[in-house]
Amino acid sequence: MTEPAQVPPMQPISAQGNQPQFQPQPVVDQDQKFNSLLEVLVAKQYLSQADVDKLAVEQLSSGKNIEEIILETKVISEEELTQAKAWLYGVPFIKISETGVSPEALNTLPESVARRYQMLPFMVNEEDKILKVAMENPLDVTAIDFAQQKTGFRVQAHFASPSEIEQKIVERYAQSLSGEVTKALEETAHPEKMRSQDLSDLSHGVIRQAPITKIVETILAFAMKARASDVHIEPELERTRIRYRIDGILQEKLILPRSVHDAVVSRIKILSRLKIDEKRIPQDGRFTFDSEGEEVDLRISTLPTAHGEKVVMRLLKKNLKVPTLPELGLDGLALRRVEDVIKIPNGIILVTGPTGSGKTSTLYSILHIINSPRVNILTLEDPIEYQMDGVNQVQINPQAGLTFATGLRSFLRQDPNIIMVGEIRDSETVGLAIQASLTGHLVFSTLHTNSAAGALPRLVDMGAETFLLASSMKLVMAQRVVRRINPEFKEEYKPEPEVVADIKQVLGGYLDQWCVQNNKDPNNLILYRPKKDLPQNETDFKGRVGIFEVMSISEEVSRMILQKVSSAEIEKTALNNGMLLMKQDGYLKALAGITTIEEVVRVAEV
């Protein structure tokens, strides 16, 4: 039996005949009363009084509805207008893209009814017989009554943006994610439909037959279609939510009843060959999954939480094409410096940044360039994310004693030319990396620091001798990843004066250089953003690109390492030598229409 989802307390609902009557629920500013939509827009500072006066004149001259005029003139967004209407009528507002849609709720209304009334069910409480829906017009009592008669539930309606409702109806009813999961949930509600099976049987047939395993398969297939890098299965008090990390951002896509959580986790554990009955400690495993001819490796991590075991699945695609350095986002002087330094036969090259900033992808791209039959390349990774022909890749195994440090020590006896160490984590690994570089090897690795200049003092803090570090370091690059604007659906706009001033302050002389190269006017800057009226099957952003700062270790920087100067002083010297900061690189990419200023600020502010 499906457990009910948690819902907030309802306002009293009066009866008309045998059917409950819809009654709006004030949820925002309950003590503040508004008499008109324009009054709300002014009070919420969406519009100035001057804007309202212009709209009033336009309404008198055209005879159009005030909402029509607002949407036509685009003085505020559709979402802001909908929020204002929600405040005016005291009805809850919901942004569907930030809320998971329960497949059970979706199953209560057929698509034809959802389209007819622009009504999307997103949460259901079967115990209290409550259905929550997002609507373009929640004041449509006829639609509410029809939905209540059709479903047998009391309907709680929420305001939502009309274009988002239309888009999500198409997505949710068209995608197999909710539909197939709903079918599987129906089978779990009828035990006689479920086939008995040996949990140790991992044959392809059994995996595809059981309802629970069908849910797991559907969750993973959707992750591959959506280009997700991670899937989070998170237990809550009365539900389980499924979130996908797409282009670096977590998005809630599905809600499952809490009753199936343990079964879903057990299925994943079976596939990963983990201990099903061990729920007290974290476990790690992996397995391979294929969908429509595409194969992916999954790295599994389980974690005991207050409401049950949380599972995170990292997707690592097999046979993925290694991107080139320009495809990653490197260009200009930074690209030339990287291409020059990787030709040097020895030394250390570091890529720095937080987890998920694309460091490993950059190293793979570099290895792909220098890989040839004439060199012996060894990598020590956790995990192996791409499989490269001609490269000897080793997965660390701490339980068996194979760590970055012990593996690196063994590598030196394998006659390598090039060594890649997944991450420098301790003083022993630092010492071995420096030793390897000084004995004629080219060493690549990653480090968790916020900037390129910050890597050098960090290595000294980890125990590296300054005189050895100064002679072995060749280049340090820091990076982040920003989302690309969907190239087919972007629009130009003129930024606010404050934004222009910030761009000029951050870029300085680089802005003039860029404007000359691209024949642009520095006093009439144009930026780009996703279109507001996207097609229903398109997203604002598609793919990601790196923003970089590349610091060559010049003689001057080497002397500063010996003197143990601060990272701020090292960075100042690097800037004088032509290094671009990540924020500067990001702003140039925003001016070129690759990403948005907001994206750059989101990831590059440290």
Side-chain angles (χ1 to χ4, degrees):
M1 185 69 183
T2 302
E3 293 185 17
Q6 187 176 15
V7 296
M10 291 200 318
Q11 298 293 320
I13 297 181
S14 59
Q16 181 180 8
N18 293 324
Q19 292 297 328
Q21 181 67 31
F22 167 72
Q23 181 172 328
Q25 301 175 59
V27 293
V28 182
D29 294 342
Q30 295 185 20
D31 297 330
Q32 188 174 2
K33 303 299 181 183
F34 299 105
N35 297 315
S36 70
L37 183 61
L38 292 178
E39 186 181 324
V40 178
L41 294 171
V42 173
K44 298 301 175 184
Q45 299 182 347
Y46 286 156
L47 293 178
S48 66
Q49 190 58 49
D51 293 326
V52 170
D53 294 340
K54 288 180 184 177
L55 290 171
V57 171
E58 175 70 20
Q59 184 181 21
L60 287 173
S61 61
S62 67
K64 294 181 180 178
N65 181 289
I66 194 69
E67 291 182 31
E68 290 182 78
I69 299 171
I70 289 174
L71 292 174
E72 286 176 3
T73 56
K74 298 184 178 179
V75 289
I76 61 172
S77 68
E78 182 188 62
E79 182 179 321
E80 290 169 336
L81 176 62
T82 307
Q83 284 182 322
K85 290 163 66 177
W87 277 316
L88 176 63
Y89 298 114
V91 176
F93 171 83
I94 184 173
K95 189 165 183 177
I96 309 168
S97 59
E98 297 177 357
T99 304
V101 176
S102 164
E104 295 171 300
L106 202 67
N107 200 41
T108 59
L109 276 181
E111 184 177 359
S112 58
V113 175
R115 286 185 177 279
R116 178 180 174 186
Y117 294 111
Q118 287 297 286
M119 174 189 295
L120 180 69
F122 64 90
M123 185 177 291
V124 63
N125 184 330
E126 294 190 353
E127 185 175 276
D128 295 331
K129 305 297 286 183
I130 299 168
L131 178 67
K132 291 191 174 187
V133 300
M135 292 184 68
E136 180 178 343
N137 179 18
L139 305 180
D140 186 346
V141 178
T142 302
I144 299 292
D145 285 343
F146 181 83
Q148 290 180 153
Q149 294 174 22
K150 184 78 174 176
T151 63
F153 289 87
R154 292 184 295 175
V155 171
Q156 289 185 343
H158 295 59
F159 263 114
S161 301
S163 61
E164 189 182 30
I165 290 176
E166 178 66 29
Q167 177 183 349
K168 295 303 177 182
I169 286 175
V170 172
E171 283 184 8
R172 295 304 185 185
Y173 282 99
Q175 289 171 354
S176 61
L177 183 62
S178 294
E180 293 187 14
V181 169
T182 300
K183 291 176 184 176
L185 288 173
E186 288 174 355
E187 291 190 43
T188 64
H190 301 85
E192 68 277 3
K193 292 186 179 181
M194 296 184 64
R195 300 180 56 173
S196 62
Q197 54 184 290
D198 180 0
L199 291 180
S200 64
D201 185 356
L202 298 178
S203 68
H204 190 71
V206 170
I207 290 173
R208 291 187 178 274
Q209 287 168 3
I212 292 298
T213 56
K214 183 62 176 177
I215 292 175
V216 173
E217 182 184 272
T218 305
I219 289 170
L220 292 175
F222 180 82
M224 295 175 69
K225 289 178 184 176
R227 301 175 293 104
S229 61
D230 301 85
V231 180
H232 292 235
I233 300 176
E234 302 172 314
E236 297 181 347
L237 185 61
E238 295 186 0
R239 68 175 195 169
T240 291
R241 67 174 179 174
I242 313 296
R243 294 196 291 172
Y244 295 83
R245 189 175 294 280
I246 302 171
D247 291 334
I249 305 295
L250 275 174
Q251 301 178 24
E252 187 172 306
K253 293 289 186 182
L254 184 66
I255 295 172
L256 295 177
R258 185 64 179 82
S259 57
V260 302
H261 177 81
D262 290 343
V264 168
V265 172
S266 293
R267 172 53 54 187
I268 294 170
K269 283 184 170 183
I270 289 170
L271 296 172
S272 311
R273 302 187 183 277
L274 301 178
K275 296 179 180 177
I276 301 175
D277 56 346
E278 181 55 83
K279 302 181 180 181
R280 301 166 299 173
I281 59 174
Q283 296 188 69
D284 295 313
R286 62 190 309 155
F287 67 91
T288 299
F289 176 79
D290 68 270
S291 175
E292 298 179 357
E294 189 176 2
E295 201 169 32
V296 64
D297 280 331
L298 290 114
R299 186 179 65 180
I300 312 301
S301 173
T302 68
L303 183 72
T305 70
H307 300 301
E309 285 186 283
K310 175 182 176 179
V311 177
V312 174
M313 299 184 281
R314 166 66 58 88
L315 280 74
L316 306 171
K317 290 186 178 179
K318 289 189 173 183
N319 304 319
L320 192 65
K321 178 181 175 290
V322 178
T324 65
L325 293 178
E327 287 172 346
L328 290 177
L330 275 167
D331 55 16
L333 179 61
L335 175 61
R336 291 197 299 274
R337 283 179 169 173
V338 173
E339 289 176 335
D340 289 341
V341 81
I342 61 178
K343 297 173 184 176
I344 300 172
N346 56 70
I348 298 178
I349 297 172
L350 282 183
V351 183
T352 75
T355 301
S357 60
K359 302 185 298 295
T360 305
S361 296
T362 300
L363 288 179
Y364 277 130
S365 296
I366 293 173
L367 290 180
H368 187 69
I369 294 170
I370 59 181
N371 184 18
S372 79
R374 294 178 296 177
V375 294
N376 179 21
I377 302 177
L378 297 175
T379 73
L380 194 59
E381 307 174 54
D382 181 27
I384 297 172
E385 296 189 16
Y386 300 93
Q387 294 184 0
M388 300 181 66
D389 292 335
V391 177
N392 303 285
Q393 297 173 272
V394 178
Q395 164 82 48
I396 72 164
N397 187 350
Q399 290 82 7
L402 179 55
T403 63
F404 283 122
T406 58
L408 185 51
R409 187 178 289 108
S410 299
F411 276 14
L412 297 177
R413 297 190 291 272
Q414 286 285 320
D415 186 30
N417 299 102
I418 298 163
I419 296 172
M420 187 188 93
V421 182
E423 184 183 342
I424 291 179
R425 294 179 179 174
D426 51 45
S427 58
E428 186 179 4
T429 310
V430 172
L432 288 167
I434 292 175
Q435 178 188 340
S437 70
L438 294 174
T439 52
H441 307 93
L442 184 58
V443 180
F444 295 92
S445 192
T446 70
L447 193 66
H448 289 285
T449 59
N450 289 328
S451 65
L456 301 174
R458 175 73 183 279
L459 292 173
V460 173
D461 291 342
M462 293 175 72
E465 294 288 351
T466 55
F467 67 95
L468 296 177
L469 194 62
S471 57
S472 62
M473 290 299 303
K474 301 301 178 186
L475 180 136
V476 182
M477 54 192 298
Q479 70 178 79
R480 303 286 190 278
V481 284
V482 295
R483 293 179 293 171
R484 288 179 179 268
I485 305 174
N486 191 331
E488 297 179 15
F489 303 97
K490 65 181 179 182
E491 62 183 11
E492 298 180 353
Y493 73 98
K494 192 170 178 60
E496 298 293 328
E498 297 83 3
V499 177
V500 173
D502 180 52
I503 292 172
K504 291 181 176 180
Q505 188 272 326
V506 169
L507 290 179
Y510 289 115
L511 177 60
D512 293 329
Q513 294 178 25
W514 183 86
C515 288
V516 169
Q517 292 171 359
N518 295 275
N519 195 26
K520 301 290 184 181
D521 181 3
N523 297 314
N524 187 28
L525 294 178
I526 297 297
L527 293 177
Y528 299 82
R529 63 190 175 196
K531 286 184 177 179
K532 293 181 180 177
D533 52 344
L534 282 172
Q536 295 165 349
N537 60 341
E538 291 290 343
T539 56
D540 291 346
F541 297 90
K542 185 173 288 187
R544 293 188 287 175
V545 66
I547 57 175
F548 301 87
E549 54 188 45
V550 178
M551 183 177 72
S552 295
I553 309 300
S554 62
E555 291 185 10
E556 189 176 1
V557 173
S558 294
R559 286 196 297 270
M560 299 178 84
I561 296 173
L562 289 170
Q563 296 164 5
K564 295 186 178 181
V565 302
S566 68
S567 59
E569 290 297 318
I570 294 175
E571 186 174 277
K572 188 182 297 183
T573 300
L575 291 172
N576 291 335
N577 292 336
M579 181 183 81
L580 271 179
L581 294 173
M582 278 183 292
K583 192 172 184 180
Q584 292 174 324
D585 188 29
Y587 274 24
L588 292 175
K589 286 181 168 68
L591 288 170
I594 297 171
T595 187
T596 66
I597 287 289
E598 293 78 12
E599 270 293 293
V600 176
V601 171
R602 179 178 68 85
V603 304
E605 292 285 4
V606 294

